[in-house]
């Protein structure tokens, strides 16, 4: 049994609170257990300079943690004057993952900014961010379609993400902070709703892992993501 | 009648959600109407270098807005690499205001970090921050007293803050964003629970104001702050 | 009696040296006792991007202290790589105050940069900056009117500023550094030559102040500013 | 056939030039075809603050590209004032990978800095960096053992890294720049000399990939890394 | 004849106003014609980390121009967030030059900060800075000797600096801005009061110069510096 | 005899490896003994904003040292977030020197970026950079002439640079690091192939130097540069 009484292959309690704030075109408070992330999607006319004139849109993401989202307070990145390597790594991952949801050539010259701000952290903030932001993006897309009169629907489909780990040879789904810290290996997987991979990021700081362990983790991630996609669909009333 | 159907001397709907996040010693989600600010108070042993060895504590504040807390998205300060002048002005105000609540010489060599992060903005984010952080600070203080075995209670009393404005010669209490933008003058007042001033900050970008108008605004602020203090006390079960 | 033998309601010795440097359109060395600030006003064609095409002008201010303007040397902000929160707070105040002197819609698409650089500090650098820069602005305005052929005079009138404080229940006008450091409360007031308020900024780090004390300070500030306006007029040969 | 006439499962021409520069304890110029990276390993007594007193060592990595290592010139990061997200992502990956080679608890309180500077880029700069730095690290380790008199050998074993990709359903080993840009998927794999995984990083910007494709890529990476380890051993005269 | 009616070998009108500001241990307003620089020397106990425990002192310099010291306004370096290459080049030159005046091993573990802030620029700001700061340094040294009880006098002697240029084959002494801009070559020379070189910095952006021209310029600089040293001595009542 | 067995007036072993990297229009690995600098010249259409519309070209230079180019590791400037004063001083010198080779009015609206990156440092990195970059610039120029169809040849001629020093009254040519550190004076000279001066930069941190010593150093530099120009010509097959 796990510290929070879950089965090894069981997700934490997942929830999506849509329209959480009033200004953003898409705004979702996503919870993966005690990890809570506010994901907003903001639509702006225009694209970055390097994309101008190509009749395509763009999606980019930024990520932040409130200073006391964690057990001990972290220095505020705005005060420190730069984003950490970890922050940049995560926001690049979120951006790539969400771009896989959209056919950018059907988006018009519009940019959608995804902002994922962690209000409370308990492991898996990047996977919660991706899974929640996917819904915010869909809400924002609807707003683009209304106001910008897109001819065709740019949506390809949902993506969702989950973490898996290996500890003492056993695979764990959706790690909370304590599990994340004690695992030998940590794998983050992003998949489409059709079960194809967008990203696989596995790291073994403690102990290298075998191909068999990799396979176990990929199996478990596939199961978890299929469940997350169902929960996303319910939240979207699909 | 005002755009949100309030009387001129009426506060917006005010709420305090204590223990909003789980890690911080004090954590309050404060709402002044649609303005929602997450205020946390974090206790750390030690004080800044310039205060070392004086057997005193310190309280400091940081302020931030999520990029899409506002009607149009603002660039993330962490990505931009610096905090704006407005942000610095506000966090200095919050820090000074909260230090007035505490006898720092009774706090031991501890620092309390106040973080005010605006999740949704509709005017008055600095006054909501001060009023909400006051409660987070008291919750954190209790935690210090337990763990650090302070001999005497460092709490002096509550502070609260409100904005007032003048428009067409009439004074308005607790301005929402639309009112704030259309007022001739904007005055932010911070007071103790005994009705004494901590800060008065009045600015007339549009039209200078008379002594009589200043008096009207100070009267109205006094009334509003007295009500806010009562609401704080209720939230604290005092 | 005060440490410099002034009456409680007496300004320090005030002087304005116009045309202090040769390049700037307006250039004034202002002294409030031992506080000496070089205020220049520089005219440039064009306005910030957000104001383009509105047929209006703009006035903005920057503030700095030479590293050894003070009793102990401060780190140079240019070397440190950023302006302190205090600096930003002050330059925003100066900018707002001086914009109140001018009808920006009559200025044409021109920007006037106000630079206030403190050569020697002895308290009240922000109030001296505003009071001196007001004269530099008028000198620069004359230069704009000549070269840009403005149709109507954009000048609304003078502004001046002074600090007041409370110590042991008594109000003091125009605080020098030593008084500023020992006061319970410090109020900076900016007014028009007609006696209306542009800014009121009061701070009680040491001890909250009562409404009666606020009134005493506002009375004293009004008296001081009226005198400063007379001195400005003399300097301008009005 | 590939643009450079290789088989799909064939590495580019690989070389390691040890002792390439004279000051560093380890210094290797590694070439993966036209990708050339200078990898140095520098030993310094002491560890970062958070590791002090734990009787452990530390290994950290930094990565950079000379401005004209690429086809069009990139802005120099030192002139721009910050490292890009891509740079930070890569240097974190290199650091984690190399730490897997060493039992840090046997290193004493010493830090080894790995610097990977790309002189010429043609795809796979991060995998070449890891594979070359592994050798520089071993050379530096020898120097530590001599001068610091370590009691036991901290070396666990070699690591090596390679990229693999999928294009039109076929898997390609060790992508050059042109292949990298045209692939649907790009997977970077880091493994130990025993054939266990340290890192798997797969990204599908163009087209999601299936589990079967993931397996093909992992198979190919395993083959390539086994060959790289042999080449490393030869270079080390093992 | 030159634009300001000087002979080719004639200095501009030079003046030194000692004790110009009241806080600094040394404070000199130096004028080379219309170039006016405020030079302060500030004494602080202690030395930079790399010099600790060597029983030596240190002298370092910083340089800045007020934004409107020049004909058109320059962006404030503190607002821009960094010092320009030109600023850094000049302040390094000033520091090296002034260190040549002092036997650092007799200064005790004290640091003297030289700040040269240009109030008005008309060419030759770096040479005026060095020449004026030399006097500020001597005034500060006297203060160190009194308060720190140095056993022996660390002063080696004065330094002074001047610019020379070549235009149409003729050498000019002490260039004003207009001459500086139109010269083919610009040479800055720093010498001791004994007539030895501390620094020679010659630059030919427009047209290379011959050895003969170099000699002409060095001759002229020698003459000018001898005169400057006499003026320094007079200012110091030596 | 010198530590590396050279005569006082003897250059170190000099080599130029042209076309060292494949992407840059000009790419030279220059060696002055153990000092090795990779110099690239990159051509880009367009000029800096301040030069637009003047039908002129521009040449600018950047300089960097790999962190472990030196005996002890230096912090990476990109990680530190700014270039040191020394770096800026050197890159400004390189830029000025190379601009003297070209008639910018014949270059068309093109910019040539010179990048000098020190792979291994043993004194004289700035003089090696200039001497090597001169060749890279010529290679790049050929590429501009081909692709941009310049009507006339913008090349004026070669420049080369060398360091000279004084130690115990004797002049030394082309100082290695150990000599540089122990010299009383260090003079860097940049000259055209016709034997005219572009830059003279002499610094006496340890001991002022006399006119006679300056002359000795200039004589020696002239000899060294004449030899360097011959070596450049050989490398260019002129």
């Amino acid at each position: 049994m796990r510290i929070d009484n879950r089965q090894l292959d069981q997700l934490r309690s997942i929830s999506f609170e849509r329209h959480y704030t009033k200004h953003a075109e898409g705004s979702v408070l996503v919870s993966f257990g005690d990890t809570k992330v506010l994901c907003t999607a903001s639509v702006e006319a225009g694209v970055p300079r390097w994309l101008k004139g190509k009749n395509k849109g763009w999606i980019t993401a930024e990520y932040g943690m409130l200073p006391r989202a964690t057990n001990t307070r972290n220095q505020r990145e705005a005060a420190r004057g730069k984003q950490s390597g970890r922050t940049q790594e995560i926001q690049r991952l979120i951006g790539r993952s969400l771009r896989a949801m959209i056919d950018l050539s059907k988006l018009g010259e519009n940019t959608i900014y995804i902002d994922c701000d962690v209000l409370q952290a308990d492991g898996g903030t990047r996977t919660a961010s991706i899974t929640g932001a996917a819904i915010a993006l869909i809400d924002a897309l609807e707003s683009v379609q209304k106001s910008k009169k897109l001819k065709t629907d740019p949506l390809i489909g949902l993506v969702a993400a989950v973490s898996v780990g290996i500890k003492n040879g056993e695979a764990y789904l959706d790690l909370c902070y304590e599990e994340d810290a004690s695992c030998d290996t940590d794998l983050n997987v992003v998949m489409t709703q059709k079960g194809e991979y967008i990203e696989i990021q596995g790291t073994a700081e403690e102990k290298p892992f075998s191909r068999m362990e990799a396979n176990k983790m990929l199996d478990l991630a596939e199961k978890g993501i299929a469940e997350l996609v169902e929960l996303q669909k319910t939240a979207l009333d699909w």
Side-chain angles (χ1 to χ4, degrees), chain A:
Chain A
M1 265 312 218
R2 298 162 75 174
I3 49 169
D4 50 5
N5 295 319
R6 282 188 285 153
Q7 303 298 322
L8 294 186
D9 67 347
Q10 191 182 344
L11 293 170
R12 287 180 284 181
S13 165
I14 308 290
S15 72
F16 304 99
E17 199 169 333
R18 282 166 74 192
H19 315 303
Y20 185 73
T21 54
K22 71 172 186 176
H23 297 299
E25 284 74 26
S27 172
V28 170
L29 182 74
V30 60
S31 305
F32 274 43
D34 276 347
T35 288
K36 288 173 193 304
V37 186
L38 175 48
C39 310
T40 61
S42 300
V43 181
E44 287 189 18
V47 287
R49 194 180 318 191
W50 53 270
L51 205 59
K52 269 185 191 156
K54 301 195 175 165
N55 197 24
K56 290 181 62 174
W58 187 241
I59 295 172
T60 186
E62 288 184 0
Y63 169 94
M65 281 229 247
L66 297 198
R68 194 56 196 280
T70 43
N71 193 37
T72 54
R73 186 177 181 273
N74 290 301
Q75 204 190 345
R76 185 177 290 267
E77 290 187 331
R80 209 174 138 238
K82 62 175 181 174
Q83 294 179 296
S84 70
R86 179 185 172 276
T87 291
Q88 294 201 53
E89 198 174 294
I90 293 175
Q91 66 192 11
R92 284 161 58 88
L93 170 66
I94 299 171
R96 287 195 307 266
S97 298
L98 292 222
R99 282 193 290 276
M101 285 178 59
I102 301 291
D103 183 339
L104 296 171
S105 68
K106 295 181 180 165
L107 190 56
E109 293 216 342
N110 298 297
T111 297
I112 301 180
Y113 292 91
I114 303 295
D115 287 289
C116 297
D117 286 275
V118 180
L119 305 189
Q120 188 173 278
D122 187 29
T125 63
R126 76 188 73 187
T127 50
S129 292
I130 291 166
T131 309
I135 296 182
L137 176 56
I138 284 172
D139 283 338
L141 207 60
E142 206 168 314
S143 142
V144 189
Q145 282 176 292
K146 273 185 202 153
S147 65
K148 311 277 178 176
K149 301 180 179 154
L150 302 179
K151 286 177 198 154
T152 49
D153 186 355
L155 182 66
I156 295 171
L158 283 163
V159 306
V162 81
S163 68
V164 281
I166 290 284
K167 193 175 163 177
N168 302 330
E170 294 220 81
Y172 287 66
L173 180 65
D174 186 20
L175 311 172
C176 69
Y177 176 74
E178 206 173 312
E179 291 172 340
D180 189 23
S182 65
C183 265
D184 301 320
T185 298
D186 178 28
L187 192 79
N188 291 293
V189 181
V190 187
M191 295 180 89
T192 65
Q193 65 178 99
K194 292 188 187 154
E196 289 181 310
Y197 294 99
I198 301 296
E199 292 270 340
I200 300 175
Q201 298 207 338
T203 295
E205 277 246 8
E206 278 312 302
K207 198 155 121 1
F209 55 99
S210 65
R211 179 72 174 267
M212 204 175 64
E213 288 170 328
N215 283 334
K216 264 196 212 171
M217 289 191 281
L218 291 175
D219 289 344
L220 200 52
E222 200 169 320
K223 172 183 180 296
I225 287 175
E227 289 174 26
L228 286 168
V229 168
E230 285 314 303
L231 293 165
Q232 286 175 319
K233 287 180 176 170
T234 305
L236 285 161
D237 300 316
W238 281 9

